Amino acid sequence: MPRLSVIVPCYQVQGFLRECLDSVLEQSFHDIEVIAVDDRSPDNSGAILDEYAARDPRVRVLHLPENVGLGRARNAGLPHATGDFVLFLDSDDTLTPGALHAVADRLAESGDPDVLVFDYARTYWWGGTRRNALAEVLSATDGVFTAAERPEILDLLMVVWNKAYRRDFVEENGFRFPPGYYEDTPWTFPVMLSAARIATLDRICVNYRQRRQGSILSTTSRKHFDVHEQYKRVFAFVDAHPELAGWRPCLHRKMGEHCLDILAKPDRLPPAARAEFFRRTAELYRAFRPEETTAAVGTDGAAGADLGVLGGSYASYRLREQAARAGRAGGGQALRVRRAAGARARRVLTGLRGPRPLDEDLVLYSAASHQGLRGDPAAVYRAAREIAPRLRGVWVVRDAEVAAQLPAGVDHVLLDSPEYLRLAARAKFFVNDVNWPGTLVKRPGAVHVHTHRGTPLKYLGADLLGKPGARLGLDVPQMLRRADRWDHSLVANRHSELVWERAYPCHFASARTGSPRNDVLVTGGPTDFRARHGIPAGHTVVLYAPTRRDYVRGGHVDRIDLARFAADLGAGHTLVVRLHPALATGPARGLGLAELHRRGIVVDATGEPHAEEVMLASDALVTDYSSIMFDYANLDRPIVVHADDWPTYTASRGAYLDITAEAPGHVSRSYRELAWLFASGGWRDEESARLRADFRSRFCEFDDGRAAERVVRTLLLGEAMPEPRGRVPGPAGARDLLAPT
């Protein structure tokens, strides 16, 4: 008996079917069976299924004598399932790599619950990916629960394919799919309300394909009226189970929201049928209105649709919809008007019409696109408060949420607020690690200090003009116009000085100050990272910090199996993972990292705001082409470069030096080599130390622990201060791969 049965109904999906089946059969978890149901598909789907069954004994094919529809095709597969748990996968969707292993592990960990709910991501036909917006619901608990204990679980998309079901539970309750559209509704609500033990898995297991054409639910048809019958079945189930009566208000609200959502979509109903659909929805809404709602089980629906419209006429509903559309359109026009007014205000405030004197003691700071105290600007800010308390430092943050996370006593303004405009017109100094908004007009006498965000390895600025894939969506000329405002460009080494002057052909002066954020790495500052994450004393902490890729949409590629690497490191080791900041809010962490963190297999440090604290807490760094290696070299701790796709990376993005030839430590070109380096101890041998010393002398040249002080004294206060002495130059053979400009 297999652990998992995957039921795959198929109808007219020959273009997607192989990808779907491969995503199941190539999983790392093999204790499965696939029950593929050919719903009398008129295309070649049936033959494809037979082909797979002939070469893989885990695949069983059912050829139905007539087309019965998606729900009843699933029903046909259920009696043939022999696994402990059943999953349903639509034949145009795919499982993510490692999904079934994660599902099996979570089922075992939670003691075989009735239902396991996991995450998904929408994958669009044009290549984009968007994670489920309510993913946080899945990370709220490690234990099992009922829907009554956590009613927010019903706020998730009520579909069948984001769950694993204990087969005995399904059979004992006789759950089956009805005919018609929206067949998931009368399956999912009864299942979730009946389950005595529900568990969640905070991991993207399904790629939910958003087809450009051909999706059943995006087809204009009267079949969408089926949703009314499906909700009648839901309420019939509740009526047959008196213990569920308290759910009626919740289900009543969800029914109204669901039907109005269908009505609001322009591609669902024929125009001539819309009024009838509204009337039937209103009738159903009145028919199932609960007598009392005050003590109801369920969520409050505060974010749902305005269900009051169902108490009126279709004409009233249309008037509301037209007003809402006009409001949205007017909102766009209002936004344009506000932006134009803001631009006029900036011109006034920046002195184009009536200049006001600059405030010689006012410094505006920003970091990481206005995300708060981070990086080099934060180090300069702290040094300025200590050295020159007369300087007023104000942080520009993007929104109130970021502002709430600032330490107590930090002066700040919201971007584009009136106060920001007033201060931006008066400030003498601007310190930032990315460009200020293009609307900021630089006044004569203002001083812009650009700190950058590390030593450059990959192409940046004007050098991206020859890399169309890497600069997708990036306006390089506009970037350079913003860089024209720089007065000082901070550098930690001569390599950076050469690159910035090439990549940003603008009128600024290179300041050999060192990187302020690296001061703490040079001087060895404190960090409580290990204690906060429960890392045992004496453990060797290996930090894995990969960068993003420009050759894939979204930038995320799993180069190594994190669970395997953590296991191969062995006892007494902790693997800490920090993804590139650009991947922190996308689907990347949901593809396994968040779940591995929850299970204690790795520590996810992607969300840590201060990379320096993570580096200080580690004993070794494994990276690929991230600039973190240049900063980490200041610690004089082992570094391994994992360069298994270096040719592809350089072809798509470009690099200023061959990091595989001039690495800060050993280079691995396969996972086998990486694992061997740690198993053999080669990661910290004498050769590793020699390579690191050469790299450190070259790329940490101006990092002496006083960079922030140097910026404050020389660039903000105008005082004299000795330049950093610099380390012993690197080997004579070291060179930059800089083509002539």
Side-chain angles (χ1 to χ4, degrees):
M1 179 185 297
R3 181 63 167 161
L4 304 177
S5 297
V6 184
I7 297 177
V8 184
C10 307
Y11 183 78
Q12 284 194 325
V13 285
Q14 63 180 13
F16 306 110
L17 185 52
R18 293 182 187 277
E19 185 182 1
C20 172
L21 294 174
D22 288 343
S23 77
V24 180
L25 299 173
E26 293 176 3
Q27 290 280 313
S28 58
F29 185 81
H30 299 128
D31 190 13
I32 65 171
E33 65 177 0
V34 177
I35 296 149
V37 184
D38 172 18
D39 191 18
R40 196 66 176 174
S41 183
D43 62 2
N44 202 41
S45 294
I48 293 173
L49 294 179
D50 290 337
E51 173 193 330
Y52 273 77
R55 68 171 186 251
D56 194 321
R58 296 176 297 171
V59 180
R60 301 171 61 191
V61 180
L62 303 178
H63 294 283
L64 301 185
E66 61 180 355
N67 176 253
V68 297
L70 180 58
R72 287 188 288 181
R74 291 170 178 157
N75 290 341
L78 269 172
H80 298 272
T82 62
D84 298 329
F85 284 83
V86 176
L87 294 85
F88 298 95
L89 181 67
D90 289 355
S91 47
D92 55 351
D93 296 337
T94 58
L95 295 180
T96 61
L100 293 186
H101 213 303
V103 166
D105 287 347
R106 184 70 181 107
L107 289 172
E109 180 187 37
S110 54
D112 284 8
D114 296 329
V115 182
L116 173 69
V117 187
F118 44 78
D119 204 5
Y120 67 92
R122 297 175 187 266
T123 56
Y124 295 87
W125 61 270
W126 42 265
T129 300
R130 182 166 60 87
R131 189 179 185 184
N132 164 31
L134 296 177
E136 69 276 3
V137 172
L138 300 175
S139 62
T141 182
D142 289 344
V144 294
F145 55 90
T146 64
E149 292 168 336
R150 284 190 55 207
E152 65 272 16
I153 197 71
L154 298 186
D155 291 335
L156 296 171
L157 190 64
M158 284 289 102
V159 290
V160 67
W161 42 257
N162 66 343
K163 304 171 183 71
Y165 310 88
R166 187 167 57 83
R167 185 167 58 87
D168 289 346
F169 166 69
V170 172
E171 292 180 352
E172 289 164 3
N173 288 274
F175 295 124
R176 290 297 183 270
F177 293 92
Y181 281 17
Y182 305 101
E183 71 291 333
D184 285 8
T185 299
W187 165 284
T188 308
F189 279 119
V191 164
M192 296 299 287
L193 298 182
S194 301
R197 301 176 73 249
I198 302 171
T200 58
L201 172 62
D202 182 15
R203 187 192 192 282
I204 297 172
C205 294
V206 175
N207 285 322
Y208 176 29
R209 190 187 300 272
Q210 306 295 288
R211 292 161 66 172
R212 184 172 181 268
Q213 295 179 345
S215 171
I216 292 176
L217 291 185
S218 64
T219 302
T220 303
S221 167
R222 285 185 61 89
K223 290 287 289 180
H224 292 284
F225 279 79
D226 288 353
V227 71
H228 299 136
E229 293 302 315
Q230 306 296 22
Y231 273 101
K232 288 180 182 179
R233 293 183 171 101
V234 172
F235 281 100
F237 180 85
V238 171
D239 290 341
H241 296 79
E243 70 277 8
L244 300 179
W247 284 102
R248 289 183 66 90
C250 172
L251 297 173
H252 179 254
R253 186 187 68 254
K254 289 189 176 295
M255 176 186 68
E257 292 172 350
H258 192 174
C259 293
L260 287 177
D261 182 64
I262 294 170
L263 185 61
K265 288 183 167 58
D267 59 350
R268 298 291 174 91
L269 296 161
R274 294 175 62 81
E276 180 186 354
F277 185 90
F278 176 87
R279 286 193 295 272
R280 289 198 188 182
T281 297
E283 290 169 3
L284 200 65
Y285 191 71
R286 289 192 295 271
F288 288 106
R289 184 187 300 277
E291 295 180 2
E292 296 183 12
T293 61
T294 56
V297 178
T299 53
D300 61 12
D306 178 9
L307 300 180
V309 297
L310 292 174
S313 65
Y314 178 62
S316 298
Y317 165 79
R318 288 202 62 188
L319 286 174
R320 287 201 185 192
E321 284 296 291
Q322 290 168 0
R325 284 196 296 271
R328 288 191 292 269
Q333 178 64 27
L335 178 61
R336 289 188 289 273
V337 170
R338 287 197 301 271
R339 285 177 174 171
R344 288 193 297 271
R346 290 183 185 95
R347 287 195 294 271
V348 172
L349 290 169
T350 52
L352 296 182
R353 300 176 184 174
R356 300 177 65 189
L358 295 178
D359 185 338
E360 298 288 330
D361 294 332
L362 178 59
V363 187
L364 288 193
Y365 294 91
S366 181
S369 299
H370 318 298
Q371 294 187 65
L373 270 76
R374 299 190 181 191
D376 290 310
V380 174
Y381 168 77
R382 294 188 183 99
R385 293 188 69 174
E386 181 177 337
I387 297 169
R390 67 177 175 81
L391 294 177
R392 179 193 175 195
V394 180
W395 281 85
V396 179
V397 296
R398 66 184 182 189
D399 53 36
E401 182 179 352
V402 174
Q405 298 171 4
L406 295 173
V410 174
D411 199 356
H412 64 275
V413 293
L414 300 186
L415 182 67
D416 285 337
S417 65
E419 181 65 6
Y420 160 76
L421 296 176
R422 187 184 69 80
L423 294 179
R426 300 290 311 280
K428 171 72 173 184
F429 300 103
F430 295 79
V431 181
N432 202 343
D433 60 2
V434 293
N435 269 317
W436 292 94
T439 51
L440 176 64
V441 178
K442 182 181 180 183
R443 289 187 59 184
V447 176
H448 283 236
V449 178
H450 194 77
T451 70
H452 301 283
R453 303 183 73 183
T455 293
L457 171 61
K458 58 191 176 187
Y459 276 10
L460 295 164
D463 290 324
L464 289 175
L465 291 171
K467 297 290 182 181
R471 62 177 172 85
L472 181 65
L474 181 66
D475 188 337
V476 175
Q478 183 188 60
M479 177 193 296
L480 296 180
R481 286 193 293 272
R482 294 182 180 186
D484 283 332
R485 297 175 297 198
W486 301 352
D487 294 289
H488 304 286
S489 166
L490 306 191
V491 299
N493 47 66
R494 297 169 209 266
H495 162 83
S496 296
E497 190 171 318
L498 288 172
V499 169
W500 299 140
E501 291 178 3
R502 166 198 167 101
Y504 297 97
C506 307
H507 297 290
F508 57 80
S510 293
R512 295 181 175 182
T513 58
S515 294
R517 72 177 185 278
N518 288 345
D519 287 347
V520 68
L521 302 181
V522 176
T523 59
T527 175
D528 64 347
F529 178 84
R530 289 192 180 217
R532 283 191 288 109
H533 291 278
I535 299 174
H539 264 218
T540 298
V541 174
V542 178
L543 171 60
Y544 175 53
T547 192
R548 69 186 308 277
R549 265 58 175 179
D550 295 288
Y551 58 78
V552 294
R553 185 182 290 273
H556 177 65
V557 179
D558 282 321
R559 303 310 310 173
I560 64 174
D561 183 330
L562 297 177
R564 179 182 178 187
F565 188 33
D568 288 345
L569 287 174
H573 293 74
T574 295
L575 178 61
V576 174
V577 181
R578 182 177 176 84
L579 300 182
H580 189 278
L583 304 175
T585 57
R589 296 166 81 181
L591 290 169
L593 179 56
E595 174 65 5
L596 292 175
H597 175 82
R598 185 195 66 80
R599 292 168 56 193
I601 295 174
V602 305
V603 173
D604 178 12
T606 304
E608 290 284 332
H610 306 297
E612 303 80 35
E613 294 189 10
V614 184
M615 289 188 274
L616 283 165
S618 67
D619 299 294
L621 171 69
V622 177
T623 186
D624 37 37
Y625 325 118
S626 171
S627 64
I628 196 174
M629 72 177 80
F630 299 97
D631 302 325
Y632 197 86
N634 281 287
L635 292 171
D636 197 20
R637 299 173 189 174
I639 302 173
V640 174
V641 175
H642 186 55
D644 64 332
D645 63 342
W646 177 246
T648 305
Y649 183 85
T650 53
S652 62
R653 179 63 188 239
Y656 293 112
L657 58 94
D658 184 352
I659 198 62
T660 65
E662 305 171 53
H666 290 298
V667 177
S668 59
R669 297 183 183 272
S670 67
Y671 178 75
R672 182 178 180 181
E673 292 181 6
L674 176 63
W676 178 85
L677 279 171
F678 280 89
S680 66
W683 61 282
R684 54 182 176 184
D685 61 12
E686 291 184 4
E687 177 65 8
S688 168
R690 185 191 67 79
L691 292 169
R692 184 168 68 254
D694 290 345
F695 188 88
R696 186 164 172 257
S697 66
R698 182 180 176 201
F699 293 107
C700 303
E701 184 180 3
F702 304 139
D703 283 338
D704 62 353
R706 301 182 67 187
E709 178 189 1
R710 190 171 289 108
V711 171
V712 173
R713 293 194 184 280
T714 63
L715 304 185
L716 303 187
L717 300 178
E719 299 176 358
M721 183 174 175
E723 288 191 1
R725 290 181 296 175
R727 294 188 167 92
V728 178
R735 61 186 181 85
D736 289 322
L737 301 180
L738 297 178
T741 56

